[in-house]
Amino acid sequence: MSADFRRRLTFDLARGELRDGDTRYLILREDSLMGLFKRLPQPARTDAFKAFAAPVTGHGARLSTPRLRKR
């Protein structure tokens, strides 16, 4: 994690939020998220990975691109 990103993060304990500007992050334990995938039978597991990856890839690129251009 870059120092610039860490400086942008804000923690609001009263609201239970971790934010980078308008972007609110969700923190999950790895074992709880991956446990979901491990318990799914094929082909549901592959479909779930694809469904999870698509918005992460799309939104991640959309959110990071303007910040990368500022450098």
Side-chain angles (χ1 to χ4, degrees):
M1 177 184 322
S2 73
D4 184 50
F5 178 68
R6 282 194 304 265
R7 280 192 294 274
R8 291 193 320 259
L9 287 177
T10 58
F11 298 88
D12 185 335
L13 296 178
R15 296 177 64 139
E17 292 182 344
L18 171 62
R19 287 186 173 269
D20 174 12
D22 291 338
T23 303
R24 190 171 86 181
Y25 285 88
L26 171 67
I27 298 175
L28 293 173
R29 286 179 27 167
E30 177 273 337
D31 59 337
S32 60
L33 179 62
M34 295 313 295
L36 173 138
F37 291 108
K38 288 177 184 176
R39 286 173 173 78
L40 287 172
Q42 286 296 354
R45 182 183 305 173
T46 300
D47 292 343
F49 272 123
K50 288 178 183 176
F52 186 75
V56 169
T57 302
H59 291 292
R62 179 181 54 83
L63 293 171
S64 64
T65 301
R67 290 185 187 110
L68 293 175
R69 289 182 186 150
K70 290 180 183 177
R71 292 182 182 192

